[in-house]
Amino acid sequence: MVDVLANWRAVQDRIAEAAQRSGRSPDAIEVVAVTKGVPVEVISPLIKGGIAAIGENRVQEARAKYAAADWRDQIQWHFIGHLQTNKVKQCLEIADLIHSVDSLRLLQEINRRAEAMDLDQVRVLLQVNVSEENTKFGFVPSEVPKVLEEAVSCQRVVIQGLMTMAPFEEDPERTRPVFRRLRLLGEKLEQKGFPGFEMKYLSMGMTNDFDIAVEEGANLLRIGSGIFGHR
Ligand SMILES: *Cc1c(COP(=O)(O)O)cnc(C)c1O
């Protein structure tokens, strides 16, 4: 049996230590508990333990849990996986924040659906493929300014920051340049200023590398196996 509450406390301790090392306040760092593959009854104790957001990467699975969980209104529901345009409507019905907008076409479809559903301010992040791996979704860093310019016409959408996934490294220290590059990109974009864009969230850091991500400025961590064990 995995003790998710004990794991959650250990994760909080690691965050506090990383924040202290880098002179940051741990209160400025939010955790999204990644619950893909985890049944509702295993998540429930964590809700009482103070988790504020959960992250899912499949729309069907997220909706099934949303329907089943009596704590659905006590937390935020974040979508963190690749989103197909034909699932946007179903996603918007439950998601508070979409971390994984990875194409202009998807952004425009979210805007179109939001209008049809009379949603005003759909919150999203742009996924950036910092390491420019062919196997990864996301914009390459040099595309992002152009995307933000095009996004000005998407008036139902608010872009609240950037998300990235670092490549898996045995030595998490090696992910540092990826996280640093995302932070610097965010700072550059913030200086330039784009309508409908606010540099509020840097979503980066997973179980293997979140300490490094915190040191590099992450304020939204996506942590799955560190809380729920390997599945
Ligand atoms: C699964 C997943 C995570 C969590 O990964 P862990 O290594 O289990 O912490 C974070 N982000 C995304 C996009 C994921 O799909």
Side-chain angles (χ1 to χ4, degrees), residues 158-174:
V158 190
I159 302 174
Q160 290 196 320
L162 306 174
M163 178 273 236
T164 201
M165 284 175 83
F168 179 83
E169 300 280 359
E170 284 293 335
D171 175 7
E173 183 58 37
R174 296 184 58 148

Side-chain angles (χ1 to χ4, degrees), residues 95-163:
D96 297 294
L97 180 68
I98 301 173
H99 292 227
S100 44
V101 170
D102 55 12
S103 72
L104 189 59
R105 194 171 141 246
L106 174 60
L107 190 72
Q108 288 165 339
E109 179 63 13
I110 292 171
N111 187 62
R112 201 177 69 81
R113 283 290 178 185
E115 203 165 340
M117 294 163 76
D118 205 21
L119 299 174
D120 217 13
Q121 303 251 295
V122 176
R123 300 159 62 221
V124 307
L125 310 179
L126 300 184
Q127 181 169 352
V128 183
N129 181 1
V130 175
S131 48
E132 305 200 21
E133 293 164 277
N134 290 332
T135 52
K136 280 213 162 79
F137 291 110
F139 302 102
V140 297
S142 60
E143 292 182 284
V144 178
K146 187 90 197 308
V147 174
L148 290 176
E149 274 167 29
E150 302 267 357
V152 171
S153 64
C154 296
Q155 302 223 335
R156 301 281 176 146
V157 178
V158 190
I159 302 174
Q160 290 196 320
L162 306 174
M163 178 273 236

Side-chain angles (χ1 to χ4, degrees), residues 56-101:
E56 288 281 340
N57 67 343
R58 287 166 193 267
V59 175
Q60 286 317 110
E61 185 179 337
R63 288 174 64 93
K65 283 178 203 173
Y66 188 87
D70 56 12
W71 36 259
R72 75 180 70 80
D73 297 325
Q74 294 171 40
I75 52 142
Q76 288 198 11
W77 293 73
H78 290 199
F79 191 77
I80 62 171
H82 176 61
L83 180 57
Q84 292 168 286
T85 49
N86 64 358
K87 302 259 173 69
V88 166
K89 179 172 183 284
Q90 291 192 317
C91 185
L92 289 183
E93 282 169 357
I94 64 167
D96 297 294
L97 180 68
I98 301 173
H99 292 227
S100 44
V101 170

